[in-house]
Amino acid sequence: QRRVHGGKGQVIDAAMVDGAAQLMWMFHGFQAHGGWDHSQREANMLDGAAHFYDSYECADGEYISIGSIEPQFYALLMEKMGLDQEQFADQHNKEKWPEYKARLAEVFKSKTQAEWCEIMEGTDVCFAPVLNFMDAPKHPANVAREVYVDVDGITQPAPAPRFSRTPASVRHGAHDIGEDTDAVLSDMGFEAQEIASLKEAGSIG
């Protein structure tokens, strides 16, 4: 727009470190109003201290995660876990977090990950299983959204973001080393004899 209306374009300066810093704006805000202690780990609501925002081990050694911050989600978490809501009513009292957390850990370890998924997935608990990267493609939500694709026998993430009018696709899987050398050199203008000479000289495989 600036080029069209003003006759001059401009350089867009983007850096990964800028993006990383942007992800932290909320925590700088917390720190500014006294809602975050940056000097300690697992001392704050979102870094593992709160019993209602963490991951827990299950009976089968797998893990689940919860993020039941809002009161209605927290109440549903208590209900689904079979806990007395009165005993856990003081949700944001940091002094009670260790006690509450120990109890939740005990209850979560009484069932397998699959059993907790049966109980909590699809509800407003703010719950999800912790999956390794081989299990993630099989999760129903990822399957329904077609988050992963299989190309030449290799499972990999589908292209993102998605465009409604010009959808992207993966044309082929990974090629062996040197498989595309001739084609690339041809596209660069090398003649067949020149490519053969490079091979004879050992310059290319």
Side-chain angles (χ1 to χ4, degrees):
Q1 287 292 335
R2 184 167 294 277
R3 180 183 61 81
V4 172
H5 296 293
K8 290 185 178 181
Q10 57 184 318
V11 174
I12 299 175
D13 182 358
M16 288 187 291
V17 67
D18 298 346
Q22 287 298 314
L23 296 175
M24 297 299 295
W25 65 264
M26 182 171 66
F27 300 96
H28 285 285
F30 284 160
Q31 180 75 25
H33 70 68
W36 193 270
D37 181 359
H38 73 282
S39 67
Q40 300 183 65
R41 299 186 65 177
E42 294 192 12
N44 306 281
M45 182 176 69
L46 301 180
D47 68 355
H51 59 292
F52 53 86
Y53 199 95
D54 203 0
S55 58
Y56 290 90
E57 186 177 4
C58 303
D60 55 356
E62 301 294 332
Y63 286 78
I64 58 86
S65 62
I66 54 172
S68 312
I69 299 176
E70 290 81 354
Q72 67 273 27
F73 303 150
Y74 182 73
L76 186 59
L77 172 67
M78 298 295 105
E79 176 189 323
K80 294 294 184 181
M81 295 187 71
L83 297 171
D84 185 343
Q85 296 194 24
E86 290 299 319
Q87 293 182 3
F88 288 83
D90 207 0
Q91 178 184 356
H92 293 285
N93 184 343
K94 288 188 176 183
E95 298 298 321
K96 292 191 175 183
W97 282 359
E99 173 192 339
Y100 288 169
K101 194 168 188 178
R103 178 58 180 145
L104 263 64
E106 180 183 358
V107 174
F108 275 125
K109 208 163 185 179
S110 68
K111 300 181 187 298
T112 65
Q113 182 192 73
E115 288 173 323
W116 284 118
C117 286
E118 184 69 24
I119 293 170
M120 294 188 177
E121 276 196 310
T123 73
D124 286 337
V125 167
C126 300
F127 161 95
V130 178
L131 305 175
N132 63 49
F133 80 96
M134 293 300 290
D135 288 334
K138 307 169 195 171
H139 190 272
N142 291 334
V143 172
R145 186 164 167 75
E146 298 180 342
V147 175
Y148 294 86
V149 294
D150 190 286
V151 181
D152 296 343
I154 299 173
T155 300
Q156 55 194 282
R162 305 179 188 191
F163 297 87
S164 60
R165 294 178 58 191
T166 55
S169 63
V170 181
R171 288 175 288 186
H172 58 73
H175 286 174
D176 291 333
I177 295 175
E179 184 175 346
D180 298 311
T181 301
D182 288 12
V184 170
L185 290 176
S186 294
D187 288 344
M188 293 173 64
F190 284 81
E191 299 293 337
Q193 184 56 48
E194 292 178 294
I195 296 174
S197 297
L198 288 171
K199 289 182 178 179
E200 290 176 8
S203 298
I204 59 175

